[in-house]
Amino acid sequence: MRKVLPLAVIGLLAILLIVSDHPFPPPSDPDRESRTAVVALGDSTMSGEGAGSYEPGTNGEDGGNWCHRSTAASIMKAQIQADRKINLACSGANSDKLRNDQLPQLRKIAGSNRVTAIVVAIGANDDPHFAEVLNKCFEAWGKRSDCTSSVAAEWSKRVRRMVPKVENTLNAIRQTMRDAGHRDADYQLVVQSYAAPVSPKMPRSLQNLSGCPLRPSDLEWVVDEAVPELSNGLRTAAEKVNARFLDLSRAGEGHEACVSKPQNEWFTRLTVDWEGLKNDKRAPHALQESFHPNALGHEQIGRCLTEFLATDKRDGTCLPRLDGALGLTTEG
């Protein structure tokens, strides 16, 4: 004879299904609540590309990956109250790679730690192919031609095609956390945009292979149109999944590559791994660090991220302050 549940129990189950996004979390480490973690996901701007000090196994050693996860990455420099800061980001990742490679790792971490924040930088390697655009500008400098005319006309379409891919990825992050027993309200989900690494204001003496072989006219489009539009697309994706948004589009103003003395710049200039060029397997990655935040840049971004995570504002913007440090302004 089948046992019939009392009506009161049935009613309670119905209420739980309505009010909870995950009423019965899967079994997890019983000590999970005593351990906190902050996790970084995404591509090169989050992994720490350009900062050096890469974790073993992420610098192409013995056929390993080229994620270039740095101990000096912004997430590691942020002053966050958590037992662990874990960087899963990988240089070159797009939305598909984040979902396929990083989310399984996130699920394991969330099963044994109470994740309090997830910071994501993704999208530039999807339809926009931002790094590819800069490479074309590099090539155009050598040919004395422009690099933007072929891209500018379709840039808005590229960004629009990117938005649903980032949105789907953020929803996948949410679902991964639910599957691991975390409610949406248990952690902060922060989407971070990209800073312009170069500026049209660079002196002519540095527009060469020893600095930044890029044409100022091309960089005007990159700084004034491409980067802001990319940032707005990411803001749209964040809004759709109720995530917070940190705008870095103007974070490097006055500190871009080739606009000042190297010790005051927050981004790498053209960077060549000369030893790597001698090795067939490493040669394709010899320029990988070029035009990314350097160690000082990651430190400054980490400073702004620290301020943002300490607020409850939905949107924030990182801007250089009068004292020279990167600071946070908020709205909403």
Side-chain angles (χ1 to χ4, degrees):
M1 181 177 178
R2 187 174 64 183
K3 187 175 182 180
V4 178
L5 291 174
L7 289 177
V9 174
I10 294 174
L12 177 60
L13 289 173
I15 292 172
L16 285 171
L17 288 171
I18 292 172
V19 303
S20 175
D21 56 11
H22 203 109
F24 299 110
S28 62
D29 188 325
D31 296 324
R32 180 178 75 174
E33 293 304 306
S34 66
R35 292 189 295 266
T36 56
V38 172
V39 182
L41 303 172
D43 55 28
S44 58
T45 192
M46 185 62 71
S47 73
E49 182 73 77
S53 186
Y54 302 121
E55 295 177 5
T58 70
N59 192 25
E61 305 96 327
D62 301 321
N65 67 54
W66 287 90
C67 288
H68 274 181
R69 293 192 190 107
S70 173
T71 59
S74 58
I75 191 67
M76 309 309 290
K77 291 297 183 179
Q79 300 299 311
I80 304 171
Q81 294 300 316
D83 296 320
R84 302 178 66 194
K85 291 186 284 189
I86 304 171
N87 189 357
L88 300 179
C90 185
S91 186
N94 58 13
S95 291
D96 285 342
K97 283 190 172 293
L98 190 158
R99 291 194 299 270
N100 295 333
D101 299 342
Q102 297 173 33
L103 290 193
Q105 299 176 71
L106 174 64
R107 170 122 190 215
K108 292 179 181 179
I109 292 166
S112 57
N113 298 271
R114 180 165 59 86
V115 176
T116 58
I118 300 174
V119 187
V120 185
I122 201 68
N125 294 322
D126 287 300
D127 298 85
H129 297 294
F130 186 56
E132 190 176 293
V133 170
L134 288 180
N135 286 338
K136 287 183 177 180
C137 289
F138 177 18
E139 294 171 3
W141 171 85
K143 299 175 182 178
R144 299 185 181 278
S145 61
D146 78 282
C147 70
T148 57
S149 58
S150 62
V151 178
E154 63 175 22
W155 185 252
S156 295
K157 293 180 181 178
R158 289 192 186 190
V159 173
R160 285 198 297 270
R161 289 196 299 265
M162 173 203 73
V163 172
K165 295 178 182 178
V166 174
E167 179 186 352
N168 290 341
T169 298
L170 296 175
N171 278 324
I173 293 171
R174 290 284 198 201
Q175 190 58 52
T176 298
M177 293 297 289
R178 292 168 190 153
D179 292 344
H182 286 65
R183 298 172 302 168
D184 292 359
D186 290 340
Y187 63 96
Q188 298 185 57
L189 178 58
V190 175
V191 178
Q192 177 179 295
S193 70
Y194 300 85
V198 285
S199 168
K201 297 178 181 179
M202 73 176 74
R204 190 174 183 83
S205 61
L206 290 176
Q207 296 169 33
N208 53 50
L209 291 174
S210 296
C212 298
L214 303 162
R215 290 158 41 94
S217 57
D218 291 328
L219 297 183
E220 287 178 4
W221 175 80
V222 169
V223 172
D224 296 339
E225 298 184 43
V227 170
E229 193 162 1
L230 178 59
S231 188
N232 287 335
L234 293 169
R235 185 194 303 271
T236 297
E239 289 174 348
K240 289 179 178 291
V241 300
N242 196 31
R244 303 179 70 198
F245 179 71
L246 185 59
D247 185 357
L248 296 183
S249 61
R250 297 174 55 197
E253 286 185 348
H255 298 275
E256 300 96 337
C258 298
V259 299
S260 180
K261 296 179 180 179
Q263 61 267 30
N264 296 328
E265 295 172 356
W266 296 348
F267 298 85
T268 58
R269 300 180 177 188
L270 179 67
T271 304
V272 183
D273 177 6
W274 296 106
E275 285 298 314
L277 284 175
K278 302 174 183 177
N279 183 305
D280 290 342
K281 293 183 178 179
R282 299 187 69 84
H285 301 273
L287 300 177
Q288 186 170 317
E289 293 181 297
S290 301
F291 309 120
H292 284 86
N294 56 26
L296 183 56
H298 278 282
E299 181 179 349
Q300 292 292 334
I301 294 170
R303 180 198 305 273
C304 187
L305 177 61
T306 298
E307 294 182 22
F308 186 57
L309 290 175
T311 75
D312 59 0
K313 300 295 184 180
R314 179 175 295 277
D315 284 5
T317 301
C318 296
L319 293 170
R321 300 188 306 226
L322 293 177
D323 64 3
L326 194 62
L328 175 73
T329 62
T330 59
E331 57 184 79

